[in-house]
Amino acid sequence: MATFTMVYVLLFFVATVAFALQIREYISLKTHTEDALAASNLASAVIDIQEYGINHNLVIKDPEQAYSIYQEALKINMGLNDQWEDPTGLISSPVRVEQYIVYNVRGSEVEVTSFGEGLNYSATETLGSATSPNGQVIESTSVYSRISYQVDGYFGVTVPAEKDKLVDIVKNN
């Protein structure tokens, strides 16, 4: 009976340590992904200098070009290969850009340009009523992005993950 109890305690200890290590790995990946999203959003925020010089509006000149810059920056910042896969194996599926949105604020209007899986559109909203998909109110020119991927855990468990980030290029948040 003592041997059975000892084996049970040992298995419980191993499972607890494995669970704790998995949680640490998830937290590390979450932090890395959030930093990569913020840096990639900022990299894509190439403002129109002429617009700023004439009207003092900070706007992103070409949202389509900004999206292209974002994609390249995201691949570099997350260490992905050309197939959008993580060679280190932390992420077990290709990373997908679910949505990328540029919010250009001009006066009391917000020009919204969105890219992603079936989500390409342009619209104009009123300043104060425009919100990003994560619920934040748009106050000045901003960039939002959301990505998804899968992470393999211990014991063959696959966990879907999704991260998003809104970066206001005027405010320091």
Side-chain angles (χ1 to χ4, degrees):
M1 185 69 168
T3 305
F4 177 75
T5 304
M6 200 59 182
V7 168
Y8 178 74
V9 168
L10 183 62
L11 286 174
F12 179 75
F13 178 72
V14 168
T16 303
V17 168
F19 179 73
L21 289 172
Q22 187 70 68
I23 294 297
R24 273 184 75 95
E25 191 174 297
Y26 288 160
I27 290 171
S28 174
L29 182 60
K30 173 186 170 276
T31 303
H32 172 71
T33 303
E34 287 174 350
D35 290 347
L37 280 175
S40 301
N41 284 356
L42 285 172
S44 70
V46 180
I47 65 166
D48 185 345
I49 301 297
Q50 185 175 4
E51 173 78 18
Y52 182 73
I54 295 171
N55 300 318
H56 301 290
N57 289 327
L58 280 174
V59 295
I60 296 169
K61 183 177 186 173
D62 184 354
E64 195 168 325
Q65 179 190 18
Y67 181 49
S68 178
I69 292 169
Y70 165 81
Q71 289 175 310
E72 194 58 37
L74 184 65
K75 279 182 12 184
I76 292 168
N77 290 329
M78 290 191 69
L80 305 174
N81 62 22
D82 288 338
Q83 289 74 41
W84 289 78
E85 297 169 336
D86 179 12
T88 66
L90 288 175
I91 298 173
S92 60
S93 69
V95 173
R96 291 184 48 193
V97 177
E98 299 291 335
Q99 196 167 25
Y100 174 84
I101 305 174
V102 172
Y103 297 96
N104 276 324
V105 175
R106 286 187 169 99
S108 63
E109 289 188 339
V110 180
E111 296 170 4
V112 182
T113 308
S114 178
F115 302 92
E117 295 289 320
L119 299 170
N120 297 343
Y121 66 88
S122 293
T124 302
E125 298 184 28
T126 306
L127 187 63
S129 67
T131 58
S132 67
N134 64 2
Q136 291 181 269
V137 176
I138 304 302
E139 297 173 354
S140 54
T141 298
S142 305
V143 176
Y144 169 86
S145 65
R146 183 177 73 240
I147 61 171
S148 66
Y149 51 88
Q150 292 187 346
V151 180
D152 282 340
Y154 296 136
F155 312 116
V157 175
T158 300
V159 179
E162 188 173 275
K163 290 302 301 170
D164 67 343
K165 185 72 176 170
L166 176 72
V167 174
D168 186 323
I169 67 168
V170 176
K171 286 175 43 178
N172 185 14
N173 56 357

